[in-house]
Amino acid sequence: MGPTSAAVLFAVIWFLTLLCIAPMRLKTQQDMGKVTPGTQSGAPEVHHLKAKLWITTGVSVVLFAIIAGIIVSGWITVRDLDMFHRMGPGA
């Protein structure tokens, strides 16, 4: 795996992790009982974004290490994921 592939893999893992972590412990304006006129009642009031970014980075580093280790070791290859047998025996 080259450096560009590793960077793209880490970015994908990081953003997917952020999308999973972002809604946790989210307090909306409606939950807090203070809806600002002209805004959506589901708009975040307390979001703990800095902590969520640190958690996202930590989880992403661990997941990246596991996934990159599997890819680099050759334990799972593209040929293992070829469900439709597009890669012939000589490929």
Side-chain angles (χ1 to χ4, degrees):
M1 173 182 349
T4 305
S5 301
V8 169
L9 179 63
F10 183 78
V12 168
I13 292 170
W14 193 90
F15 280 106
L16 286 174
T17 306
L18 178 64
L19 290 174
C20 292
I21 290 177
M24 294 180 185
R25 293 180 45 201
L26 182 69
K27 300 268 194 250
T28 63
Q29 290 183 10
Q30 185 174 4
D31 294 339
M32 302 298 283
K34 316 181 271 188
V35 178
T36 306
T39 62
Q40 186 74 355
S41 62
E45 185 69 27
V46 180
H47 49 73
H48 309 289
L49 187 60
K50 187 174 184 179
K52 288 179 183 180
L53 293 176
W54 282 109
I55 292 168
T56 298
T57 302
V59 170
S60 297
V61 166
V62 171
L63 289 174
F64 175 76
I66 293 169
I67 294 170
I70 290 171
I71 291 171
V72 170
S73 71
W75 189 52
I76 295 176
T77 63
V78 174
R79 192 177 301 271
D80 295 330
L81 302 175
D82 183 24
M83 295 181 288
F84 299 110
H85 306 294
R86 292 186 206 160
M87 298 179 78

